[in-house]
Amino acid sequence: METRGHTRLRSTHGWSLFAALLVVRIVNALLIQTYIHPDETWQSLEVAHRLAFGYGFVTWEWRHALRGFAHPMLFAATTAPYLLAAVIGASVDLATFYFARRIAGDNAARWALFCSAVSWSMSSGVMRPLVNSAETAFSAAAYAFWPWSGALQTPNLYIALLFAAVACIVRPTSGALWLCAGLVLVARQPRASRALHIIFAASVIGIAAVAAMLGIDYLGYRRWVFPPYQFYQFNVHEGLATWFGESHPLYHLYVSMPILFTSMLPFVLHGVYMAARYRVVSCEPAIVALGASVLFSLVGHMEYRFLYPLLPIGFVYAAVSISSLTNKTKRSSTPTPLPAPRTWSVKRIAMMLLVTNIVPAFYLNMVHQRGVVDVVKHLRQGALSGTVQSVGFLMPCHSTPFYSHLHVNIPMWFLSCEPPLVKSDLESHYWEADDFEQHPAEFIHDIFESNASKRVQHLKPSHLVLYDCMAHRVHSALNELGYKECNRFFNTHFNGDPRRKGDVVVYCQAQ
């Protein structure tokens, strides 16, 4: 039994570790000068900015109640959103450490913390203000308390269920992950009474979570809505998730996993193999991760960030592998005898993981797609000085941050790209971004000059922003309208989307 002094010592150690991790993640947050996922602004900071300051653009998902307000409200409550992102990142690191220590021991816990701390997916992905990041933090906390291997401890179960419930409030699709975890746990119980106890506890906390979600979204929408139903209607019933890109059913297997874990993936797979073959650690987290990946693959549109909540599980198995490769494990400590281990160099493994993760993370945080952020900083300075009075973005929609970064309430617009709400309208659906791509010069003339055009008229702004690849096609048309190039910003060395290639160019009205 732990003494009070021992408990207090461990508690102090936990807070000290969290403080150190938070410092690292604050530095990490300050180094992020780029823009990778539109949702890091448009589904979080932009909505939070509107809640906090009364202005900001609300995308179609919010007008049709497909999104929940829990995540934007977290950011609306703080004046330092990237400090909150640092808290989220440090929380994932800390929870991963305790999760690993609980199921795999101290040495594996240290390696799991190292994997989490250096992972590019953490420093350049989870550290952004995405809803997936908050979901990952609450899921990781739940992992640390979850009764793996069926070892039911009632207080820990309740804590884990509470964290899992909050993860589902923040992002309801997290329910697929916790459904898998719950089924595995119930299946492992030796007595029906214990299984019924788990089901009852999960049901009570689940009902409370749904009630909390309804209350939060009532505050946000000012009416009673249930976003998970609207989300299901659009993405599953109407099958319109593919509007954002259709993915192969095995996308998460051959794209998401290699991207998320990169050089750690061999260690992750080796750790899972050791768990299955030698039972050095529970296989249940791997089974849960596999089941969740399968469920997440049932929707036509997939992105690797949807699997962020599985990162802590992967880090733990990577740690188990590395720990076994760098230490001679006693054969008697496992149910199945281990083969004589080959000791690997700790320094070599650590250096390999550092180089293969820190270098891409630095590039993604400081270089890749920074022009779309730099241009908004430039526009903000102009708006504060009065030289920028209005802005139009002739780019694929959501290419840049918006009011959350400009933080000045001047007129701004961008090309629309809203999807149809029913599948029957898919073929005939019109969106401005596509029209501009197909007929750029004609489009510009019509939205500014032609009253007879069926295209929607736009305010002729003091400044226009577009990618260099399009600027070449409309330069003459913009000159005829009285615009000239006045600034350009490096954006990226490469981009898989041909519509977003080259520098970010600013045109302003000639004086």
Side-chain angles (χ1 to χ4, degrees), residues 14 58 77 92 98 117 147 165 176 195 220 249 270-271 273 312 322 360 395 419 471 489 501 504:
V58 175
V92 176
Y98 283 113
H270 180 239
Y273 168 77
I322 298 169
M395 316 168 85
F489 300 88
K501 289 187 175 181
V504 176

Side-chain angles (χ1 to χ4, degrees), residues 388-410:
V388 176
Q389 299 172 349
S390 54
V391 185
F393 294 87
L394 291 171
M395 316 168 85
C397 63
H398 310 144
S399 288
T400 71
F402 216 55
Y403 285 111
S404 63
H405 285 54
L406 191 81
H407 200 48
V408 182
N409 193 8
I410 62 172

